[in-house]
Amino acid sequence: MSGTALDHPLVRDYLRELHFALALLPAARADELTEQITAHLDEALTPDSSDEEIAAVLSRLGRPADLAAEALASAGTKPGAGTKRSRQTLRLGWRGWTALGVTLAVAATIIVYVLLVTSVAPLEARGPSGWWFGRDAARATYAEADGARQTAVPVRVGQLQGLAVTLYNPTGWTQTILGQWQGSNAPGNAVRSRITVATGSGSDFRRLRYARPASIPPHQFRWVRLLWVSNTCLTKGSSQGNDQLRLQIRVGWADRVEIIPLRQGWYVTGPSHGSCD
Amino acid sequence: MPSEGGLTELRRGVLGPCVLALLELRPRFGLELVRDLADADGLLTSDGTVYPLLNRLRDAGLVTSEWQDEEGQRARRYYSLTQAGQDSLAAFRSEWAQFSATVDGVLNHDRTGVTAGQQKGRQR
């Protein structure tokens, strides 16, 4: 016979049976006892041991189940505490399992939450709108071509211009406007621009208070004001405009970008005056 | 006549001190201990029970174990007695002497119907 006595089928079967019999022991104790029994067999047997000799040694060792019972009694471990197969994971203990469960629950909640939030519909441009300053409103022109509407006012370089639109929140989530995304939403170039949201509802948008960040509650309208100082240099007959708002929005705890198509294009037209003269 | 279960419990109770007594002489490895104990007829019900016992004694601080890997020999885990083990063994020896004498006395007088309590009373 080559190898060691541990390779003998009788020994292998015994150790396998022992392995399962020790399932109720703590892992470290089971491993230690297995090592002791293995060393015992390795020492007591030789590669040339006969089947009878091996059987006798195994018989004197005692049945694995009895050995396990003895070990359980010595270790003070109560049966039913777990199985060997699950012991690797049961090592966590109840605190570990609790922590793991809480972690998984939190992670699952976050994932579901983010999925919900990201699937929430964006704000919509609905209802009335207008140029913010009466001076622009008085000079505004309106046109419609190919189903697209647009309004235009003369550009006033270096001066404050603005518009106001009504945004509707069609969702059940409060959506908070944090600011503009990727620079200005102003028609044409602007040296600075600022977007704010009416803190309340009302039809006369110029009399409302505006702030940012500000929220649009579920299924409600709010005026949104965009003010800017233009530095657009336009020649006579040329124009620049914008027909969408790119906003940073917070829904719940998640921030995202919403690109909101406007109901009409907002344009400033040349010629530019002031610093462009 | 005591049942087999009763003897097993008796063996279980005295096996620990016997192991301590063997280790008192010198450190021994597992199979060596088993063979020495097996030489004492009737002490071991099965060889395997020695190992859980050794682990329990070690947990109790009565024995220690360490691997020795000497050249030319296989690595073996040797068990040796600690000071606490020596103290425990000494205490057991003292108690056992008294206990076994008491049991012997009871057993011997049991044949004549005299109990240990009656015997003590007479001595007083």
Side-chain angles (χ1 to χ4, degrees), chain A residues 194-237:
Chain A
R194 176 178 170 83
I195 196 160
T196 50
V197 183
T199 55
S201 56
S203 57
D204 190 350
F205 60 85
R206 293 189 180 91
R207 291 184 177 276
L208 298 175
R209 290 187 63 236
Y210 290 81
R212 196 195 68 204
S215 300
I216 303 180
H219 309 294
Q220 291 197 25
F221 292 86
R222 285 290 185 275
W223 283 96
V224 174
R225 182 181 66 182
L226 176 63
L227 298 177
W228 69 90
V229 176
S230 175
N231 65 348
T232 303
C233 292
L234 296 171
T235 59
K236 185 177 181 180

Side-chain angles (χ1 to χ4, degrees), chain B residues 83-100:
Chain B
Q83 183 57 50
Q86 289 180 358
D87 296 342
S88 175
L89 179 60
F92 181 82
R93 277 192 175 120
S94 171
E95 291 169 1
W96 177 256
Q98 186 175 347
F99 176 77
S100 61

